[in-house]
Amino acid sequence: MAWNQFFEKYDFLLTPMLAIQPFAVLKNMPDGPDGQSNRQWSPYSSVFNLTRHPAITVPCGIGRERLPIGLQLVSGYFKDAALLRLAAHYAQANPITFPRLP
């Protein structure tokens, strides 16, 4: 499997969590630029649901709608503890002040 070969060479993979900004509550899918449902809004996380590689998301910023943006961290099989340590170090080194929402 290609991902196993990747993780033989690299300890971690960092990706965006989503391909878009957060969208309205109670919507199943966001609207695309053409006004139709955007079915490609989550291309990054589903891969690791299928391969079963450990993955975690940490907040890495605040978007224009004042909602958090996620950074996905992924590791090889049985590297869960190292992945949790990386997530904790990242969160500690990059604290996010979440805005008060109405």
Side-chain angles (χ1 to χ4, degrees):
M1 174 187 291
W3 283 114
N4 290 339
Q5 292 174 343
F6 177 88
F7 287 117
E8 285 176 11
K9 185 173 182 180
Y10 302 102
D11 293 327
F12 303 103
L13 172 71
L14 283 65
T15 72
M17 181 59 203
L18 298 175
I20 62 161
Q21 295 283 317
F23 55 92
V25 174
L26 301 178
K27 288 190 79 161
N28 290 328
M29 284 183 260
D31 293 334
D34 59 358
Q36 301 297 315
S37 293
N38 178 356
R39 298 183 190 283
Q40 301 297 319
W41 67 277
S42 181
Y44 308 110
S45 61
S46 59
V47 171
F48 303 108
N49 290 337
L50 296 174
T51 67
R52 298 174 29 193
H53 284 89
I56 190 168
T57 302
V58 294
C60 67
I62 302 294
R64 65 180 167 264
E65 298 292 328
R66 299 180 26 207
L67 296 172
I69 296 171
L71 172 66
Q72 179 175 235
L73 310 172
V74 187
S75 68
Y77 294 130
F78 309 109
K79 305 289 185 184
D80 306 56
L83 183 65
L84 289 170
R85 282 193 300 275
L86 174 65
H89 287 298
Y90 181 88
Q92 188 174 39
N94 301 284
I96 300 289
T97 302
F98 292 99
R100 294 183 61 95
L101 298 175

